[in-house]
Amino acid sequence: MNNVAVMYHYIRERNGWRGIFPLSPQDFSHQIDTLSKTYDIISLDQMDIPRSRPWCILTFDDGTKDQYVNAFDILKRKGIPAYFTVMSGPLVSGVVPMMHLVHTVLSFVSDEEIWELIRLKHDTTGIEEASTIYSYELDRLRRYNKYMLNVKLTTEEATEILGSVFDTLFSDRAKFIDDFYLTEQEIKHMHREGMTIGVHCHKHQPYCGNPQQFYDREIKPCRDYLKNVLGSSPEWYTPAFGGGVHHKAMREQLTPILVANGFKGAFSTVSKEVPQAREFWIDRIDCSKLLHAKINY
Ligand SMILES: [Zn+2]
């Protein structure tokens, strides 16, 4: 039987945040208990040790506060290790990435309002067809907005629209960042308690096609930040968006640079189990798909 790495994002109640799809702390706790019946839930440095049962790794993306308040709290009480990744941009330079502007603004402003702002300024031809990539969003305008903001518009164009709306919702951006992301103290605390801390990104950009430039812009700033906070260089990497549309090229081109910089492995968003002999890139199954996956869950 194969091993599995599980991918988590928000672990929280929705509490009015209409723009996100969190897993509730209660469901998270239940999921761990269920996984524990079949798998040894291990830390990353135990992956290559032979064992009688298959292993499971719990991975967290984006470094949001709820992961500390809810997931870490539950894991600590159960004595289970996990792997958390950090996005350094907001912490270092106070910039909230587009993805989180989208989650926040779509939570508190109506889709009609956002769609009007987009339509006034930009060409939306072919939106019905194109937005089907967001078919899990049942609301039509929500699909349109997400497609335009995340895919069609440039980062500058989308930031122009969302940034101004965001500022009316959260006038104190430093406070928002403090409330929304892990702080330095929280990262240190999790690390002290045996959690593995890895690099997610700096600004949450997809792979750009130039491995050295991508490393210098998206990986090195986060690695340097974590080295400064933890006193040692992080050894594990999880790219934003799983690398994005160029994820296959990213695997080929970026791996030698990661290895040269001391990384021991990296995590994809390809929904597969992990074979007995793991490779540098480790696939992950999203927590929401576990119930439907053909694994002994
Ligand atoms: Zn991410």
Side-chain angles (χ1 to χ4, degrees):
M1 195 174 150
N2 282 327
N3 308 309
V4 64
V6 187
M7 171 166 66
Y8 294 98
H9 287 87
Y10 298 105
I11 306 292
R12 51 173 287 175
E13 302 296 344
R14 259 185 154 175
N15 284 343
W17 283 64
R18 291 179 288 114
I20 61 174
F21 289 91
L23 184 69
S24 77
Q26 202 189 347
D27 286 347
F28 174 66
S29 180
H30 179 72
Q31 189 160 79
I32 298 177
D33 293 343
T34 311
L35 283 165
S36 298
K37 289 177 188 159
T38 309
Y39 300 92
D40 288 342
I41 303 181
I42 61 164
S43 63
L44 300 192
D45 54 9
Q46 297 172 317
M47 262 191 303
D48 303 325
I49 301 170
R51 61 186 62 248
S52 54
R53 298 208 308 166
W55 55 248
C56 169
I57 279 170
L58 310 175
T59 76
F60 294 83
D61 291 15
D62 298 336
T64 52
K65 180 77 81 195
D66 54 292
Q67 295 177 356
Y68 176 80
V69 174
N70 300 316
F72 172 57
D73 182 62
I74 290 166
L75 292 164
K76 195 158 47 105
R77 279 190 278 121
K78 291 182 190 286
I80 287 175
Y83 162 60
F84 292 86
T85 58
V86 167
M87 168 164 52
S88 53
L91 314 173
V92 173
S93 48
V95 177
V96 177
M98 178 52 53
M99 165 196 65
H100 285 151
L101 288 180
V102 170
H103 290 178
T104 307
V105 170
L106 291 189
S107 284
F108 300 109
V109 180
S110 75
D111 281 290
E112 285 77 9
E113 243 174 288
I114 309 280
W115 180 239
E116 274 311 305
L117 291 172
I118 294 173
R119 233 165 41 113
L120 278 172
K121 284 199 161 181
H122 300 283
D123 176 19
T124 60
T125 315
I127 186 74
E128 179 62 48
E129 179 78 31
S131 65
T132 52
I133 59 164
Y134 288 109
S135 57
Y136 65 88
E137 291 283 7
L138 300 178
D139 185 87
R140 183 176 54 95
L141 291 183
R142 172 60 56 100
R143 287 198 300 275
Y144 290 5
N145 285 335
K146 276 197 145 180
Y147 179 77
M148 289 301 288
L149 294 166
N150 288 332
V151 182
K152 179 88 185 286
L153 300 185
T154 66
T155 306
E156 288 72 28
E157 289 169 338
T159 305
E160 197 193 334
I161 287 172
L162 291 183
S164 60
V165 184
F166 181 88
D167 287 340
T168 63
L169 293 169
F170 300 96
S171 54
D172 186 344
R173 200 169 281 215
K175 186 180 181 311
F176 174 85
I177 288 171
D178 222 45
D179 291 344
F180 194 77
Y181 296 103
L182 300 174
T183 62
E184 200 174 303
Q185 291 311 317
E186 288 158 357
I187 295 169
K188 279 182 180 161
H189 184 199
M190 293 163 82
H191 187 243
R192 253 196 335 269
E193 294 287 340
M195 301 295 155
T196 306
I197 308 293
V199 170
H200 188 39
C201 60
H202 188 56
K203 295 183 175 172
H204 214 275
Q205 300 286 324
Y207 181 60
C208 60
N210 179 330
Q212 192 59 52
Q213 189 184 79
F214 184 73
Y215 182 85
D216 291 343
R217 289 182 181 175
E218 278 293 304
I219 301 174
K220 190 171 183 297
C222 185
R223 181 176 181 261
D224 290 349
Y225 169 80
L226 287 177
K227 188 178 178 186
N228 187 36
V229 170
L230 302 174
S232 58
S233 280
E235 296 171 319
W236 301 92
Y237 171 57
T238 302
F241 304 116
V245 288
H246 303 300
H247 67 97
K248 283 193 180 127
M250 180 193 67
R251 274 196 196 214
E252 259 174 50
Q253 298 165 1
L254 194 60
T255 309
I257 296 178
L258 289 169
V259 171
N261 282 283
F263 284 90
K264 290 180 174 173
F267 289 82
S268 82
T269 52
V270 176
S271 192
K272 278 188 188 162
E273 294 172 89
V274 185
Q276 287 303 327
R278 64 123 184 147
E279 293 176 356
F280 185 85
W281 284 92
I282 299 163
D283 296 330
R284 297 185 296 169
I285 296 174
D286 188 83
C287 62
S288 65
K289 292 199 181 125
L290 268 188
L291 279 171
H292 317 292
K294 281 184 188 157
I295 60 173
N296 249 340
Y297 168 72

